[in-house]
Amino acid sequence: MRYRTLGPSGLLVSELCLGTMTFGGSDGMWGQIGQLRQDEADRLVKAAYDAGINFIDTANVYAGGESERILGQAIHNLGIPRDEVVVATKVLGPMGEGPNARGASRAHILAQAKASLQRLQMDHIDLYQIHGFDPLTPIVETLEALDTLVRQGHVRYIGLSNWAAWQIVKAVGITEARKLAPILSLQAYYTLVGRDLEREIVPMLRSEGIGLMVWSPLAGGFLSGKYSGGNTANDGRRAGFDFPPVDLARGDAAIAVMRGIASAKTCTVAQVALAWLLHQPVVTSVIVGAKRIDQLQDNIRSTEVALTAEDLAALDRVTKLPAEYPGWMLERQSQYRAPFASQKG
């Protein structure tokens, strides 16, 4: 397992992060995603920790708080030293019936941080993330609430999830101008069949030095290969929870190329998908979830898959985004300065 610094910090996190969305579900959407009970979760956390994964992600909204509770208890049950794991959780979604029991307001953030700490049985959260953009709350209010938590010692670092590039840059500007706790990371969807963030978000992350945590790296199971060719499979997550959306024609073409690479390297299609992400310089950590030990171990073996330049080129050809304005114009006009690029100090 390799480790990378999270954004502009000295915090080292494993290149794979254990996702806990499968912990604690009972009915509805969370039940479809996963219904792991405490003993099953304990085994998954142990397998991840033993493999060198020191990064674990959850959210208050997962199974109505059960995921956080089970994760905290698992760390306690296994006797894992608190300073040997980086625990990330998130806030935004509804945690009650009232209008203020959701969103990124100061009131909701402070209340939910306290609730998350209680469920996790911890005195601090390593990475506290805003789970999405709240159009009703001023960004400055959200950022000042997060800064309060950092100054109080309840939160060590802050991050965002599912924000647009312009929203993130605006937030970065506010934190710098007001000397608030900096934004270290973005958690976002990125896969071979979902490369949309390469248009605006990836260049922004590189410019600002912000780390990227990837959620749903197998596109909700699609990149396992079992859903390609019109096969809907009735035993997987996408059978009852068809998310994230996938362009099936482009997806099937990608799977065909991935099968060839997987065959040549004696690995699985899923491992190729994860390895591709691990080869992207912008990616800090890839979040992998599982319902069974063998699934997790299969994902972990992706760290051993080395893709060649030819492999990466073949995957790029079949999944590359179509040209879109202003990208194609920016590329064209940047050629005016290309002869002098090597002279940049």
Side-chain angles (χ1 to χ4, degrees), residues 255-322:
I255 292 292
V257 174
M258 295 166 70
R259 286 192 196 283
I261 294 173
S263 176
K265 296 187 179 298
T266 318
C267 66
T268 66
V269 170
Q271 287 167 357
V272 172
L274 295 172
W276 180 82
L277 284 169
L278 294 174
H279 280 69
Q280 305 308 304
V282 73
V283 172
T284 302
S285 189
V286 176
I287 302 171
V288 293
K291 295 180 181 179
R292 305 188 312 269
I293 292 288
D294 63 296
Q295 290 178 327
L296 178 60
Q297 291 173 336
D298 186 72
N299 289 337
I300 290 172
R301 282 192 286 271
S302 67
T303 61
E304 302 169 5
V305 177
L307 299 178
T308 65
E310 291 75 16
D311 295 331
L312 294 170
L315 291 169
D316 186 62
R317 280 193 297 271
V318 77
T319 64
K320 188 175 182 179
L321 295 171

Short mmCIF file of all heavy atoms in Angstrom, two decimals, residues 255-322:
data_model
loop_
_atom_site.label_atom_id
_atom_site.label_comp_id
_atom_site.label_asym_id
_atom_site.label_seq_id
_atom_site.Cartn_x
_atom_site.Cartn_y
_atom_site.Cartn_z
N ILE A 255 -15.59 -1.51 -21.47
CA ILE A 255 -15.46 -2.84 -20.86
C ILE A 255 -14.74 -3.79 -21.80
O ILE A 255 -13.90 -4.61 -21.38
CB ILE A 255 -16.84 -3.40 -20.48
CG1 ILE A 255 -17.47 -2.59 -19.35
CG2 ILE A 255 -16.73 -4.87 -20.09
CD1 ILE A 255 -16.78 -2.72 -18.02
N ALA A 256 -15.03 -3.70 -23.10
CA ALA A 256 -14.38 -4.59 -24.07
C ALA A 256 -12.86 -4.41 -24.04
O ALA A 256 -12.10 -5.39 -24.06
CB ALA A 256 -14.93 -4.33 -25.46
N VAL A 257 -12.41 -3.16 -24.00
CA VAL A 257 -10.97 -2.89 -23.95
C VAL A 257 -10.40 -3.35 -22.61
O VAL A 257 -9.31 -3.94 -22.54
CB VAL A 257 -10.69 -1.39 -24.16
CG1 VAL A 257 -9.21 -1.07 -23.95
CG2 VAL A 257 -11.13 -0.95 -25.56
N MET A 258 -11.13 -3.11 -21.54
CA MET A 258 -10.67 -3.50 -20.21
C MET A 258 -10.53 -5.02 -20.08
O MET A 258 -9.63 -5.51 -19.41
CB MET A 258 -11.62 -2.95 -19.14
CG MET A 258 -11.64 -1.43 -19.08
SD MET A 258 -13.02 -0.78 -18.13
CE MET A 258 -12.55 -1.26 -16.48
N ARG A 259 -11.45 -5.75 -20.72
CA ARG A 259 -11.35 -7.22 -20.66
C ARG A 259 -10.04 -7.70 -21.30
O ARG A 259 -9.40 -8.63 -20.78
CB ARG A 259 -12.54 -7.84 -21.39
CG ARG A 259 -13.86 -7.75 -20.66
CD ARG A 259 -14.90 -8.65 -21.32
NE ARG A 259 -16.25 -8.33 -20.89
CZ ARG A 259 -16.79 -8.67 -19.72
NH1 ARG A 259 -16.04 -9.35 -18.85
NH2 ARG A 259 -18.02 -8.34 -19.42
N GLY A 260 -9.66 -7.07 -22.40
CA GLY A 260 -8.41 -7.46 -23.05
C GLY A 260 -7.21 -7.19 -22.17
O GLY A 260 -6.30 -8.03 -22.06
N ILE A 261 -7.19 -6.03 -21.51
CA ILE A 261 -6.09 -5.69 -20.61
C ILE A 261 -6.07 -6.64 -19.41
O ILE A 261 -5.02 -7.13 -18.99
CB ILE A 261 -6.21 -4.22 -20.15
CG1 ILE A 261 -6.01 -3.28 -21.35
CG2 ILE A 261 -5.19 -3.91 -19.05
CD1 ILE A 261 -6.28 -1.83 -21.04
N ALA A 262 -7.26 -6.91 -18.86
CA ALA A 262 -7.36 -7.80 -17.69
C ALA A 262 -6.87 -9.20 -18.03
O ALA A 262 -6.16 -9.84 -17.24
CB ALA A 262 -8.80 -7.85 -17.20
N SER A 263 -7.20 -9.67 -19.22
CA SER A 263 -6.77 -11.00 -19.64
C SER A 263 -5.25 -11.07 -19.77
O SER A 263 -4.61 -12.04 -19.32
CB SER A 263 -7.43 -11.36 -20.97
OG SER A 263 -6.97 -12.61 -21.45
N ALA A 264 -4.66 -10.02 -20.35
CA ALA A 264 -3.21 -10.01 -20.54
C ALA A 264 -2.47 -9.92 -19.21
O ALA A 264 -1.35 -10.43 -19.08
CB ALA A 264 -2.83 -8.83 -21.44
N LYS A 265 -3.08 -9.28 -18.21
CA LYS A 265 -2.39 -9.08 -16.93
C LYS A 265 -2.86 -10.08 -15.87
O LYS A 265 -2.43 -10.00 -14.72
CB LYS A 265 -2.63 -7.65 -16.45
CG LYS A 265 -2.02 -6.61 -17.37
CD LYS A 265 -2.11 -5.21 -16.82
CE LYS A 265 -1.46 -4.21 -17.77
NZ LYS A 265 -0.02 -4.49 -17.97
N THR A 266 -3.75 -10.98 -16.24
CA THR A 266 -4.29 -11.98 -15.32
C THR A 266 -4.87 -11.29 -14.07
O THR A 266 -4.54 -11.62 -12.92
CB THR A 266 -3.23 -13.01 -14.89
OG1 THR A 266 -2.45 -13.38 -16.03
CG2 THR A 266 -3.89 -14.26 -14.34
N CYS A 267 -5.73 -10.32 -14.33
CA CYS A 267 -6.41 -9.64 -13.25
C CYS A 267 -7.88 -9.49 -13.65
O CYS A 267 -8.29 -9.96 -14.71
CB CYS A 267 -5.76 -8.29 -12.94
SG CYS A 267 -5.91 -7.06 -14.25
N THR A 268 -8.67 -8.82 -12.83
CA THR A 268 -10.08 -8.65 -13.12
C THR A 268 -10.33 -7.30 -13.80
O THR A 268 -9.50 -6.38 -13.73
CB THR A 268 -10.93 -8.72 -11.85
OG1 THR A 268 -10.60 -7.59 -11.01
CG2 THR A 268 -10.67 -10.00 -11.08
N VAL A 269 -11.49 -7.20 -14.43
CA VAL A 269 -11.90 -5.93 -15.05
C VAL A 269 -11.98 -4.83 -13.99
O VAL A 269 -11.55 -3.70 -14.22
CB VAL A 269 -13.25 -6.09 -15.78
CG1 VAL A 269 -13.80 -4.75 -16.22
CG2 VAL A 269 -13.11 -7.02 -16.98
N ALA A 270 -12.52 -5.17 -12.83
CA ALA A 270 -12.62 -4.19 -11.75
C ALA A 270 -11.24 -3.68 -11.33
O ALA A 270 -11.06 -2.49 -11.05
CB ALA A 270 -13.35 -4.80 -10.55
N GLN A 271 -10.27 -4.56 -11.27
CA GLN A 271 -8.92 -4.15 -10.89
C GLN A 271 -8.31 -3.20 -11.93
O GLN A 271 -7.58 -2.28 -11.58
CB GLN A 271 -8.04 -5.38 -10.71
CG GLN A 271 -8.35 -6.15 -9.43
CD GLN A 271 -7.73 -7.52 -9.40
OE1 GLN A 271 -7.09 -7.96 -10.36
NE2 GLN A 271 -7.92 -8.25 -8.30
N VAL A 272 -8.63 -3.41 -13.20
CA VAL A 272 -8.17 -2.48 -14.24
C VAL A 272 -8.78 -1.11 -14.01
O VAL A 272 -8.10 -0.07 -14.13
CB VAL A 272 -8.52 -3.01 -15.64
CG1 VAL A 272 -8.21 -1.96 -16.71
CG2 VAL A 272 -7.76 -4.29 -15.95
N ALA A 273 -10.07 -1.06 -13.70
CA ALA A 273 -10.76 0.21 -13.47
C ALA A 273 -10.14 0.97 -12.30
O ALA A 273 -9.92 2.19 -12.37
CB ALA A 273 -12.24 -0.04 -13.20
N LEU A 274 -9.85 0.26 -11.22
CA LEU A 274 -9.24 0.90 -10.05
C LEU A 274 -7.80 1.30 -10.34
O LEU A 274 -7.35 2.39 -9.93
CB LEU A 274 -9.30 -0.04 -8.85
CG LEU A 274 -10.70 -0.39 -8.33
CD1 LEU A 274 -10.61 -1.48 -7.27
CD2 LEU A 274 -11.39 0.85 -7.78
N ALA A 275 -7.07 0.45 -11.05
CA ALA A 275 -5.68 0.76 -11.38
C ALA A 275 -5.59 2.00 -12.25
O ALA A 275 -4.67 2.81 -12.10
CB ALA A 275 -5.03 -0.43 -12.09
N TRP A 276 -6.55 2.16 -13.18
CA TRP A 276 -6.55 3.36 -14.02
C TRP A 276 -6.64 4.62 -13.16
O TRP A 276 -5.92 5.59 -13.39
CB TRP A 276 -7.71 3.31 -15.02
CG TRP A 276 -7.77 4.51 -15.92
CD1 TRP A 276 -7.05 4.73 -17.06
CD2 TRP A 276 -8.58 5.69 -15.72
NE1 TRP A 276 -7.36 5.96 -17.59
CE2 TRP A 276 -8.29 6.57 -16.79
CE3 TRP A 276 -9.51 6.07 -14.76
CZ2 TRP A 276 -8.91 7.82 -16.92
CZ3 TRP A 276 -10.13 7.31 -14.88
CH2 TRP A 276 -9.82 8.17 -15.95
N LEU A 277 -7.50 4.60 -12.18
CA LEU A 277 -7.63 5.76 -11.28
C LEU A 277 -6.33 6.00 -10.51
O LEU A 277 -5.89 7.15 -10.35
CB LEU A 277 -8.78 5.55 -10.30
CG LEU A 277 -10.18 5.73 -10.85
CD1 LEU A 277 -11.22 5.23 -9.86
CD2 LEU A 277 -10.45 7.21 -11.19
N LEU A 278 -5.72 4.93 -10.03
CA LEU A 278 -4.48 5.07 -9.27
C LEU A 278 -3.32 5.58 -10.12
O LEU A 278 -2.33 6.06 -9.60
CB LEU A 278 -4.10 3.73 -8.63
CG LEU A 278 -5.07 3.22 -7.55
CD1 LEU A 278 -4.69 1.81 -7.10
CD2 LEU A 278 -5.09 4.17 -6.36
N HIS A 279 -3.46 5.49 -11.44
CA HIS A 279 -2.45 6.01 -12.35
C HIS A 279 -2.70 7.48 -12.71
O HIS A 279 -1.87 8.09 -13.40
CB HIS A 279 -2.41 5.19 -13.64
CG HIS A 279 -1.65 3.90 -13.52
ND1 HIS A 279 -2.08 2.83 -12.78
CD2 HIS A 279 -0.45 3.51 -14.05
CE1 HIS A 279 -1.22 1.84 -12.86
NE2 HIS A 279 -0.21 2.22 -13.62
N GLN A 280 -3.81 8.05 -12.26
CA GLN A 280 -4.10 9.45 -12.56
C GLN A 280 -3.43 10.36 -11.52
O GLN A 280 -3.73 10.24 -10.33
CB GLN A 280 -5.62 9.70 -12.59
CG GLN A 280 -6.39 8.79 -13.54
CD GLN A 280 -5.81 8.80 -14.94
OE1 GLN A 280 -5.66 9.84 -15.58
NE2 GLN A 280 -5.48 7.61 -15.44
N PRO A 281 -2.55 11.27 -11.93
CA PRO A 281 -1.80 12.09 -10.97
C PRO A 281 -2.68 12.92 -10.04
O PRO A 281 -2.26 13.22 -8.91
CB PRO A 281 -0.97 13.01 -11.89
CG PRO A 281 -0.86 12.27 -13.18
CD PRO A 281 -2.15 11.53 -13.33
N VAL A 282 -3.89 13.27 -10.46
CA VAL A 282 -4.75 14.13 -9.64
C VAL A 282 -5.39 13.36 -8.48
O VAL A 282 -5.84 13.97 -7.51
CB VAL A 282 -5.84 14.78 -10.52
CG1 VAL A 282 -6.91 13.77 -10.92
CG2 VAL A 282 -6.48 15.97 -9.81
N VAL A 283 -5.40 12.04 -8.56
CA VAL A 283 -6.09 11.23 -7.56
C VAL A 283 -5.21 11.01 -6.33
O VAL A 283 -4.07 10.57 -6.44
CB VAL A 283 -6.50 9.86 -8.15
CG1 VAL A 283 -7.05 8.94 -7.06
CG2 VAL A 283 -7.55 10.06 -9.25
N THR A 284 -5.77 11.30 -5.16
CA THR A 284 -5.08 11.05 -3.90
C THR A 284 -5.43 9.68 -3.35
O THR A 284 -4.56 8.90 -2.99
CB THR A 284 -5.46 12.12 -2.85
OG1 THR A 284 -5.14 13.42 -3.36
CG2 THR A 284 -4.70 11.88 -1.54
N SER A 285 -6.73 9.39 -3.28
CA SER A 285 -7.18 8.13 -2.71
C SER A 285 -8.48 7.69 -3.37
O SER A 285 -9.33 8.53 -3.69
CB SER A 285 -7.38 8.26 -1.20
OG SER A 285 -7.60 7.01 -0.58
N VAL A 286 -8.61 6.39 -3.56
CA VAL A 286 -9.80 5.81 -4.18
C VAL A 286 -10.60 5.08 -3.12
O VAL A 286 -10.08 4.20 -2.43
CB VAL A 286 -9.41 4.84 -5.31
CG1 VAL A 286 -10.64 4.17 -5.90
CG2 VAL A 286 -8.63 5.58 -6.40
N ILE A 287 -11.87 5.47 -2.96
CA ILE A 287 -12.72 4.88 -1.93
C ILE A 287 -13.31 3.57 -2.44
O ILE A 287 -14.01 3.55 -3.46
CB ILE A 287 -13.84 5.85 -1.53
CG1 ILE A 287 -13.25 7.17 -1.02
CG2 ILE A 287 -14.73 5.22 -0.46
CD1 ILE A 287 -14.27 8.27 -0.82
N VAL A 288 -13.03 2.48 -1.74
CA VAL A 288 -13.55 1.17 -2.12
C VAL A 288 -14.44 0.64 -1.00
O VAL A 288 -14.04 0.60 0.15
CB VAL A 288 -12.42 0.17 -2.44
CG1 VAL A 288 -11.68 0.59 -3.70
CG2 VAL A 288 -11.44 0.04 -1.29
N GLY A 289 -15.64 0.27 -1.37
CA GLY A 289 -16.56 -0.34 -0.42
C GLY A 289 -16.72 -1.81 -0.75
O GLY A 289 -16.36 -2.26 -1.84
N ALA A 290 -17.28 -2.57 0.16
CA ALA A 290 -17.46 -4.00 -0.08
C ALA A 290 -18.50 -4.53 0.89
O ALA A 290 -18.75 -3.96 1.95
CB ALA A 290 -16.15 -4.76 0.08
N LYS A 291 -19.11 -5.63 0.47
CA LYS A 291 -20.01 -6.36 1.35
C LYS A 291 -19.36 -7.62 1.90
O LYS A 291 -19.82 -8.17 2.90
CB LYS A 291 -21.30 -6.74 0.60
CG LYS A 291 -22.14 -5.54 0.16
CD LYS A 291 -23.39 -6.02 -0.57
CE LYS A 291 -24.22 -4.84 -1.05
NZ LYS A 291 -25.44 -5.27 -1.79
N ARG A 292 -18.30 -8.07 1.20
CA ARG A 292 -17.63 -9.31 1.60
C ARG A 292 -16.12 -9.13 1.60
O ARG A 292 -15.59 -8.27 0.88
CB ARG A 292 -17.99 -10.46 0.65
CG ARG A 292 -19.47 -10.72 0.47
CD ARG A 292 -19.70 -12.00 -0.35
NE ARG A 292 -18.89 -12.03 -1.56
CZ ARG A 292 -19.30 -11.55 -2.74
NH1 ARG A 292 -20.48 -10.98 -2.84
NH2 ARG A 292 -18.50 -11.64 -3.81
N ILE A 293 -15.43 -9.94 2.37
CA ILE A 293 -13.98 -9.89 2.46
C ILE A 293 -13.34 -10.11 1.10
O ILE A 293 -12.39 -9.42 0.71
CB ILE A 293 -13.45 -10.93 3.46
CG1 ILE A 293 -13.87 -10.57 4.89
CG2 ILE A 293 -11.92 -11.04 3.38
CD1 ILE A 293 -13.16 -9.39 5.48
N ASP A 294 -13.85 -11.08 0.33
CA ASP A 294 -13.23 -11.38 -0.96
C ASP A 294 -13.35 -10.20 -1.93
O ASP A 294 -12.45 -9.97 -2.74
CB ASP A 294 -13.82 -12.65 -1.57
CG ASP A 294 -15.30 -12.52 -1.87
OD1 ASP A 294 -16.09 -12.36 -0.92
OD2 ASP A 294 -15.69 -12.58 -3.06
N GLN A 295 -14.46 -9.45 -1.85
CA GLN A 295 -14.60 -8.26 -2.69
C GLN A 295 -13.55 -7.22 -2.32
O GLN A 295 -12.92 -6.62 -3.19
CB GLN A 295 -16.00 -7.65 -2.52
CG GLN A 295 -17.13 -8.46 -3.11
CD GLN A 295 -18.48 -7.82 -2.85
OE1 GLN A 295 -18.69 -7.19 -1.81
NE2 GLN A 295 -19.39 -7.98 -3.78
N LEU A 296 -13.37 -7.00 -1.03
CA LEU A 296 -12.38 -6.02 -0.57
C LEU A 296 -10.98 -6.45 -0.98
O LEU A 296 -10.19 -5.64 -1.48
CB LEU A 296 -12.46 -5.86 0.94
CG LEU A 296 -11.45 -4.89 1.57
CD1 LEU A 296 -11.62 -3.49 1.01
CD2 LEU A 296 -11.57 -4.89 3.09
N GLN A 297 -10.66 -7.71 -0.80
CA GLN A 297 -9.33 -8.19 -1.16
C GLN A 297 -9.08 -8.08 -2.66
O GLN A 297 -7.97 -7.77 -3.09
CB GLN A 297 -9.16 -9.64 -0.68
CG GLN A 297 -9.10 -9.76 0.84
CD GLN A 297 -9.11 -11.19 1.32
OE1 GLN A 297 -9.60 -12.09 0.62
NE2 GLN A 297 -8.57 -11.42 2.52
N ASP A 298 -10.12 -8.32 -3.45
CA ASP A 298 -10.00 -8.16 -4.90
C ASP A 298 -9.69 -6.70 -5.25
O ASP A 298 -8.84 -6.42 -6.10
CB ASP A 298 -11.31 -8.59 -5.58
CG ASP A 298 -11.21 -8.59 -7.09
OD1 ASP A 298 -10.53 -9.46 -7.65
OD2 ASP A 298 -11.81 -7.70 -7.73
N ASN A 299 -10.36 -5.78 -4.57
CA ASN A 299 -10.10 -4.36 -4.80
C ASN A 299 -8.68 -3.97 -4.39
O ASN A 299 -8.01 -3.19 -5.07
CB ASN A 299 -11.11 -3.50 -4.04
CG ASN A 299 -12.50 -3.58 -4.62
OD1 ASN A 299 -12.68 -3.90 -5.78
ND2 ASN A 299 -13.50 -3.27 -3.81
N ILE A 300 -8.23 -4.50 -3.27
CA ILE A 300 -6.90 -4.17 -2.77
C ILE A 300 -5.81 -4.62 -3.74
O ILE A 300 -4.79 -3.94 -3.92
CB ILE A 300 -6.68 -4.80 -1.37
CG1 ILE A 300 -7.56 -4.09 -0.34
CG2 ILE A 300 -5.21 -4.71 -0.95
CD1 ILE A 300 -7.59 -4.74 1.03
N ARG A 301 -6.05 -5.74 -4.43
CA ARG A 301 -5.06 -6.23 -5.38
C ARG A 301 -4.90 -5.31 -6.59
O ARG A 301 -3.92 -5.44 -7.34
CB ARG A 301 -5.43 -7.65 -5.83
CG ARG A 301 -5.08 -8.72 -4.80
CD ARG A 301 -5.18 -10.12 -5.38
NE ARG A 301 -6.57 -10.52 -5.53
CZ ARG A 301 -7.28 -11.14 -4.59
NH1 ARG A 301 -6.74 -11.40 -3.41
NH2 ARG A 301 -8.53 -11.49 -4.82
N SER A 302 -5.78 -4.35 -6.76
CA SER A 302 -5.63 -3.39 -7.85
C SER A 302 -4.36 -2.56 -7.69
O SER A 302 -3.83 -2.03 -8.67
CB SER A 302 -6.85 -2.47 -7.93
OG SER A 302 -6.92 -1.62 -6.80
N THR A 303 -3.87 -2.43 -6.46
CA THR A 303 -2.65 -1.64 -6.23
C THR A 303 -1.43 -2.32 -6.84
O THR A 303 -0.37 -1.68 -6.97
CB THR A 303 -2.42 -1.44 -4.72
OG1 THR A 303 -2.25 -2.71 -4.08
CG2 THR A 303 -3.60 -0.71 -4.08
N GLU A 304 -1.56 -3.59 -7.20
CA GLU A 304 -0.44 -4.33 -7.79
C GLU A 304 -0.49 -4.35 -9.31
O GLU A 304 0.42 -4.88 -9.95
CB GLU A 304 -0.46 -5.77 -7.26
CG GLU A 304 -0.38 -5.86 -5.74
CD GLU A 304 -0.66 -7.27 -5.24
OE1 GLU A 304 -0.81 -8.18 -6.08
OE2 GLU A 304 -0.73 -7.45 -4.00
N VAL A 305 -1.55 -3.78 -9.89
CA VAL A 305 -1.71 -3.79 -11.36
C VAL A 305 -1.00 -2.58 -11.96
O VAL A 305 -1.37 -1.44 -11.68
CB VAL A 305 -3.20 -3.78 -11.75
CG1 VAL A 305 -3.35 -3.72 -13.27
CG2 VAL A 305 -3.90 -5.01 -11.19
N ALA A 306 0.00 -2.83 -12.75
CA ALA A 306 0.76 -1.76 -13.41
C ALA A 306 0.29 -1.63 -14.86
O ALA A 306 0.44 -2.57 -15.65
CB ALA A 306 2.25 -2.05 -13.36
N LEU A 307 -0.29 -0.50 -15.20
CA LEU A 307 -0.74 -0.26 -16.56
C LEU A 307 0.38 0.41 -17.37
O LEU A 307 1.01 1.35 -16.89
CB LEU A 307 -1.99 0.63 -16.56
CG LEU A 307 -3.21 0.06 -15.83
CD1 LEU A 307 -4.36 1.07 -15.86
CD2 LEU A 307 -3.65 -1.27 -16.43
N THR A 308 0.61 -0.07 -18.56
CA THR A 308 1.64 0.51 -19.42
C THR A 308 1.10 1.75 -20.11
O THR A 308 -0.11 2.03 -20.10
CB THR A 308 2.07 -0.51 -20.49
OG1 THR A 308 0.95 -0.75 -21.36
CG2 THR A 308 2.53 -1.81 -19.87
N ALA A 309 1.98 2.49 -20.74
CA ALA A 309 1.57 3.66 -21.53
C ALA A 309 0.60 3.24 -22.63
O ALA A 309 -0.36 3.97 -22.94
CB ALA A 309 2.79 4.36 -22.13
N GLU A 310 0.82 2.06 -23.19
CA GLU A 310 -0.07 1.56 -24.24
C GLU A 310 -1.45 1.23 -23.67
O GLU A 310 -2.47 1.51 -24.31
CB GLU A 310 0.53 0.31 -24.90
CG GLU A 310 1.78 0.57 -25.74
CD GLU A 310 3.03 0.83 -24.90
OE1 GLU A 310 3.02 0.50 -23.68
OE2 GLU A 310 4.01 1.39 -25.45
N ASP A 311 -1.48 0.64 -22.47
CA ASP A 311 -2.76 0.34 -21.82
C ASP A 311 -3.54 1.63 -21.58
O ASP A 311 -4.74 1.71 -21.87
CB ASP A 311 -2.54 -0.35 -20.47
CG ASP A 311 -1.90 -1.72 -20.60
OD1 ASP A 311 -2.11 -2.38 -21.63
OD2 ASP A 311 -1.19 -2.12 -19.66
N LEU A 312 -2.85 2.62 -21.01
CA LEU A 312 -3.51 3.89 -20.70
C LEU A 312 -4.01 4.58 -21.96
O LEU A 312 -5.10 5.16 -21.97
CB LEU A 312 -2.54 4.80 -19.94
CG LEU A 312 -2.14 4.31 -18.53
CD1 LEU A 312 -1.01 5.15 -17.98
CD2 LEU A 312 -3.35 4.35 -17.59
N ALA A 313 -3.23 4.51 -23.03
CA ALA A 313 -3.64 5.13 -24.29
C ALA A 313 -4.88 4.44 -24.86
O ALA A 313 -5.79 5.09 -25.38
CB ALA A 313 -2.50 5.09 -25.30
N ALA A 314 -4.92 3.11 -24.77
CA ALA A 314 -6.07 2.36 -25.28
C ALA A 314 -7.34 2.69 -24.50
O ALA A 314 -8.42 2.88 -25.08
CB ALA A 314 -5.79 0.86 -25.21
N LEU A 315 -7.21 2.80 -23.19
CA LEU A 315 -8.35 3.17 -22.35
C LEU A 315 -8.79 4.61 -22.62
O LEU A 315 -9.98 4.91 -22.63
CB LEU A 315 -7.99 2.98 -20.88
CG LEU A 315 -7.79 1.53 -20.42
CD1 LEU A 315 -7.19 1.48 -19.03
CD2 LEU A 315 -9.12 0.78 -20.46
N ASP A 316 -7.82 5.48 -22.84
CA ASP A 316 -8.14 6.88 -23.11
C ASP A 316 -8.90 7.03 -24.43
O ASP A 316 -9.87 7.79 -24.51
CB ASP A 316 -6.86 7.71 -23.14
CG ASP A 316 -7.14 9.20 -23.27
OD1 ASP A 316 -7.79 9.76 -22.36
OD2 ASP A 316 -6.75 9.80 -24.29
N ARG A 317 -8.49 6.29 -25.43
CA ARG A 317 -9.13 6.40 -26.75
C ARG A 317 -10.61 6.05 -26.68
O ARG A 317 -11.44 6.70 -27.33
CB ARG A 317 -8.42 5.49 -27.75
CG ARG A 317 -7.14 6.05 -28.33
CD ARG A 317 -6.68 5.26 -29.54
NE ARG A 317 -6.35 3.87 -29.21
CZ ARG A 317 -5.15 3.47 -28.81
NH1 ARG A 317 -4.16 4.34 -28.68
NH2 ARG A 317 -4.93 2.19 -28.54
N VAL A 318 -10.95 5.05 -25.90
CA VAL A 318 -12.32 4.58 -25.89
C VAL A 318 -13.21 5.31 -24.87
O VAL A 318 -14.43 5.21 -24.93
CB VAL A 318 -12.35 3.05 -25.63
CG1 VAL A 318 -12.12 2.73 -24.17
CG2 VAL A 318 -13.64 2.43 -26.13
N THR A 319 -12.59 6.07 -23.96
CA THR A 319 -13.39 6.75 -22.93
C THR A 319 -13.22 8.26 -22.91
O THR A 319 -13.88 8.94 -22.13
CB THR A 319 -13.02 6.22 -21.53
OG1 THR A 319 -11.64 6.55 -21.24
CG2 THR A 319 -13.23 4.73 -21.43
N LYS A 320 -12.35 8.80 -23.74
CA LYS A 320 -12.07 10.23 -23.73
C LYS A 320 -13.32 11.05 -23.98
O LYS A 320 -14.16 10.71 -24.82
CB LYS A 320 -11.00 10.56 -24.78
CG LYS A 320 -10.49 11.98 -24.72
CD LYS A 320 -9.36 12.19 -25.72
CE LYS A 320 -8.80 13.61 -25.64
NZ LYS A 320 -7.68 13.80 -26.60
N LEU A 321 -13.46 12.15 -23.26
CA LEU A 321 -14.61 13.04 -23.44
C LEU A 321 -14.56 13.71 -24.80
O LEU A 321 -13.49 14.08 -25.28
CB LEU A 321 -14.61 14.12 -22.35
CG LEU A 321 -14.81 13.67 -20.91
CD1 LEU A 321 -14.57 14.84 -19.97
CD2 LEU A 321 -16.20 13.09 -20.70
N PRO A 322 -15.71 13.94 -25.42
CA PRO A 322 -15.73 14.70 -26.67
C PRO A 322 -15.33 16.14 -26.40
O PRO A 322 -15.57 16.67 -25.31
CB PRO A 322 -17.18 14.60 -27.14
CG PRO A 322 -17.96 14.29 -25.90
CD PRO A 322 -17.05 13.46 -25.05
#
